[in-house]
Amino acid sequence: MAGIMTFGFYKVGKGIREQNELAREKMWSRIYLIPLLQAEEDRDLVRKHYADLAREKALLGTETSAYYGDRFVRPTFAVTPQHVTK
């Protein structure tokens, strides 16, 4: 009886070690794949950005900018408080 139980514990122990090894291998494979997946996502984002610029140029005729000109001009107005307390 003791021999059968010893053999069963031995097989359970080997199974647990195998599961731990497979989990470690899975974790390291994901760690090594992250840069490749990130590079693929970056290329996709760049492709979408250039497609958006081309679509914008086709619709508007020229490329637009968020600013009126090419240089930044500091605003000439200032907001002051209405009621000054002393």
Side-chain angles (χ1 to χ4, degrees):
M1 185 69 168
I4 294 172
M5 288 183 64
T6 304
F7 179 72
F9 282 132
Y10 170 74
K11 293 298 267 183
V12 167
K14 279 189 77 158
I16 290 173
R17 276 196 220 132
E18 181 70 22
Q19 285 180 346
N20 288 341
E21 181 66 26
L22 288 174
R24 187 184 68 79
E25 185 178 334
K26 183 178 181 181
M27 180 183 65
W28 279 105
S29 65
R30 287 182 179 178
I31 288 172
Y32 286 127
L33 282 177
I34 285 174
L36 296 174
L37 296 174
Q38 185 65 44
E40 182 180 354
E41 184 178 352
D42 290 346
R43 284 191 300 268
D44 190 40
L45 287 174
V46 168
R47 181 188 59 78
K48 286 180 181 179
H49 175 69
Y50 284 127
D52 286 342
L53 288 179
R55 189 177 316 113
E56 179 181 323
K57 190 172 185 178
L59 289 174
L60 299 177
T62 60
E63 292 184 14
T64 60
S65 174
Y67 300 107
Y68 179 70
D70 291 336
R71 63 187 181 91
F72 176 75
V73 178
R74 186 174 302 278
T76 56
F77 61 90
V79 178
T80 58
Q82 290 181 347
H83 303 289
V84 179
T85 58
K86 292 185 180 185

